[in-house]
Amino acid sequence: MASSLTCTGVIWALLSLLCAAASCVGFFMPYWLLGAQMDKPVSFGTFRRCSYPVRDEESQTTVMLEQCGRYASFNGIPSLPWRICTVVTGVGCGLLLLVALTALMGCCISDLISRTIGRVAGGIQFVGGLLIGSGCALYPLGWGSEEVKQTCNNSSGHFQLGSCQIGWAYYCTGAGAAAAMLLCTILSCFAGKRQKQYPY
């Protein structure tokens, strides 16, 4: 099989895939913020939550349902910053995934990625990483919502965790974005082979 990538380009393609996977997995998992409510562990993502209170009609009490799920609607997401974070981070993850899959195809298809295409792909990765980074920066603005306050002993606020902790998925998403912005963008400049000049 002919490849359109240099040795540096193959490293770029694999690193792009790892960065996209880390960011996408972190984005989808509801472990960005960890806390407890009614002595049960509770966790939040940007658009998902694990463990939530429901009304038990038989005993007429509120109990914690220990399962994970998405919010019923986009407007059901507890705060506007989290809604914006969901959209911005989702678009960023989509861009990283698109470039990663294109880079992997460049390993198998000759003349797919030239030096110019590689640099454009690096620019797209930089924008994708910047969007994800912006989403991660917006996320703490939602810690003041009522849902989060109930989980963090009513002591959380904008950029104040209270009794909650930042979860592994937040770090995973941010690390994937940072690596895409810093490493992948630089490697992409040297990813494509120089195109042959044909005299006419």
Side-chain angles (χ1 to χ4, degrees):
M1 266 190 295
S3 172
S4 62
L5 297 175
T6 61
C7 289
T8 304
V10 172
I11 294 169
W12 167 67
L14 295 175
L15 188 61
S16 295
L17 182 64
L18 286 174
C19 291
S23 291
C24 290
V25 166
F27 172 60
F28 186 74
M29 300 305 280
Y31 302 108
W32 282 42
L33 184 65
L34 309 174
Q37 190 174 351
M38 298 169 66
D39 297 324
K40 302 284 185 188
V42 176
S43 60
F44 295 94
T46 60
F47 63 96
R48 298 182 74 211
R49 176 183 175 152
C50 288
S51 297
Y52 46 91
V54 292
R55 185 85 176 146
D56 184 7
E57 295 300 327
E58 289 180 16
S59 63
Q60 295 296 315
T61 59
T62 301
V63 296
M64 289 300 285
L65 185 60
E66 294 185 70
Q67 63 182 29
C68 298
R70 290 188 314 259
Y71 288 100
S73 68
F74 186 71
N75 288 330
I77 296 173
S79 67
L80 179 62
W82 281 13
R83 288 184 212 126
I84 296 169
C85 176
T86 298
V87 172
V88 168
T89 307
V91 170
C93 286
L95 290 175
L96 291 188
L97 205 54
L98 176 70
V99 172
L101 294 176
T102 303
L104 285 178
M105 285 192 296
C107 292
C108 306
I109 301 170
S110 63
D111 298 331
L112 178 66
I113 297 180
S114 64
R115 285 270 166 119
T116 305
I117 297 294
R119 289 178 179 145
V120 169
I124 293 170
Q125 283 179 309
F126 187 83
V127 170
L130 199 60
L131 287 172
I132 295 169
S134 300
C136 289
L138 283 171
Y139 190 72
L141 290 172
W143 295 347
S145 71
E146 197 57 40
E147 236 177 276
V148 176
K149 282 184 177 180
Q150 291 170 359
T151 303
C152 301
N153 288 333
N154 291 317
S155 58
S156 67
H158 300 313
F159 293 96
Q160 294 178 337
L161 280 170
S163 64
C164 290
Q165 298 175 340
I166 295 176
W168 65 267
Y170 182 84
Y171 293 116
C172 186
T173 306
M181 282 177 63
L182 301 174
L183 297 175
C184 293
T185 301
I186 293 168
L187 290 175
S188 69
C189 295
F190 309 102
K193 291 181 180 174
R194 292 187 191 276
Q195 290 184 321
K196 295 175 182 171
Q197 301 294 323
Y198 297 103
Y200 292 103

